[in-house]
Amino acid sequence: MKKLQTVTLGCSKNKVDTEHILSQVEDLYEIVPEGEDIPVDVLLINTCGFIGDAKEESVQTVLEAVDRKNRGEVGKVVVFGCLSQRYADELPGLIPEVDAWFGAREFDPVIKELGSEPSESKRSERYLTTPSHYAYIKIAEGCNRTCSYCAIPIITGPYKSRSIEDIEDEVKYLVSTGVKEFQVIAQDLSFYGLDNYKRLALPELIKRLSDIKGVEWLRLHYAYPTQFPYEILDVIKERENVCNYLD
């Protein structure tokens, strides 16, 4: 069986993206843990383009992968994510040794490049790269805040909430694999639901997730103070499996 290794840079949201892709191709490859220094057939790099240091790290990682390819330690280098989304026109010409470039949300094309057809039945599945007892749950993409220091809206576009049912399905799947602790993430948790449901729906979402049997901890990350859903404080107080924590 061919060997596939991933390198995920940047935030935990990127880690979730990598895990979704791996779940679609795990039957075709032996998944080599990140950082393990052995020859692989494919090296998949999920890049970050957030700030200067992150961009520099992503470029350096790609160049190191190309060096490994030139030494015969890697068969194919495939790059996707925020950096290749932001600089889609420049990067292929600057680093032509990369076999394929994809944007931040081009998951299906990446899956096809890896030799598989995207399966709708696996949309809720993940190949965890975290310790088996916890996982990150991404509830939205993008951001509507236009903070001067942040490039996220430029790269990933406006805020787009996932449906509550879709998130529930993913949590139920992960519980079935043994996950007990869930880190709830988005660029901005506070805004969740305003686009889909025309209301601040984070409290409803967390209530429903906390009702899922097997969910022992829910921890909330990255809430913005503007348009904050204060009802979530009551949920934190009332539900024993929702941590007394807010990032």
Side-chain angles (χ1 to χ4, degrees):
M1 182 178 284
K2 290 183 177 181
K3 292 181 171 64
L4 168 65
Q5 187 175 44
T6 62
V7 177
T8 302
L9 303 169
C11 65
S12 49
K13 298 188 293 295
N14 283 1
K15 184 183 291 289
V16 172
D17 295 340
T18 297
E19 292 176 351
H20 276 297
I21 288 173
L22 288 177
S23 73
Q24 295 271 353
V25 301
E26 62 178 315
D27 294 337
L28 299 179
Y29 294 92
E30 175 187 341
I31 309 298
V32 177
E34 185 169 334
E36 191 168 314
D37 189 16
I38 65 171
V40 295
D41 297 283
V42 182
L43 182 59
L44 177 65
I45 303 173
N46 189 350
T47 57
C48 179
F50 180 47
I51 57 175
D53 288 347
K55 291 188 287 186
E56 183 177 339
E57 181 186 26
S58 291
V59 170
Q60 186 60 38
T61 299
V62 174
L63 292 175
E64 290 171 359
V66 167
D67 285 342
R68 289 183 64 190
K69 178 184 175 182
N70 292 337
R71 294 195 303 267
E73 298 171 4
V74 171
K76 179 188 287 188
V77 177
V78 179
V79 180
F80 76 110
C82 291
L83 186 80
S84 51
Q85 173 82 26
R86 190 173 183 184
Y87 301 104
D89 295 333
E90 297 96 326
L91 286 170
L94 292 172
I95 316 177
E97 299 89 346
V98 170
D99 295 276
W101 297 90
F102 299 98
R105 304 275 80 81
E106 294 182 303
F107 303 145
D108 286 356
V110 171
I111 292 164
K112 291 178 180 179
E113 177 69 26
L114 296 176
S116 184
E117 281 297 318
S119 171
E120 190 64 33
S121 65
K122 288 191 171 187
R123 293 295 183 186
S124 296
E125 297 184 12
R126 302 256 295 277
Y127 180 97
L128 286 186
T129 58
T130 56
S132 61
H133 67 282
Y134 79 89
Y136 293 97
I137 294 295
K138 181 166 61 171
I139 67 171
E141 298 280 6
C143 187
N144 283 12
R145 319 282 185 186
T146 54
C147 303
S148 61
Y149 64 86
C150 180
I152 294 299
I154 299 171
I155 298 169
T156 60
Y159 201 96
K160 186 177 181 181
S161 301
R162 296 174 61 193
S163 72
I164 292 176
E165 293 76 16
D166 187 36
I167 298 167
E168 285 180 311
D169 288 344
E170 187 171 319
V171 169
K172 288 175 182 176
Y173 168 77
L174 290 168
V175 166
S176 75
T177 69
V179 177
K180 302 177 184 300
E181 178 180 347
F182 295 88
Q183 319 286 341
V184 182
I185 57 173
Q187 189 66 24
D188 173 14
L189 292 183
S190 299
F191 202 87
Y192 176 77
L194 272 179
D195 54 332
N196 281 359
Y197 303 114
K198 311 306 177 189
R199 66 182 187 277
L200 297 174
L202 183 66
E204 178 185 350
L205 170 67
I206 298 305
K207 282 181 183 179
R208 287 174 60 168
L209 296 185
S210 71
D211 285 336
I212 296 173
K213 186 176 181 180
V215 174
E216 296 188 10
W217 272 12
L218 285 164
R219 189 186 302 272
L220 308 181
H221 292 267
Y222 320 131
Y224 201 85
T226 302
Q227 293 176 296
F228 181 77
Y230 283 96
E231 294 84 356
I232 194 64
L233 301 179
D234 294 326
V235 178
I236 292 173
K237 179 181 178 181
E238 295 165 2
R239 302 293 175 115
E240 291 186 2
N241 58 353
V242 180
C243 297
N244 294 323
Y245 175 92
L246 193 61
D247 195 329

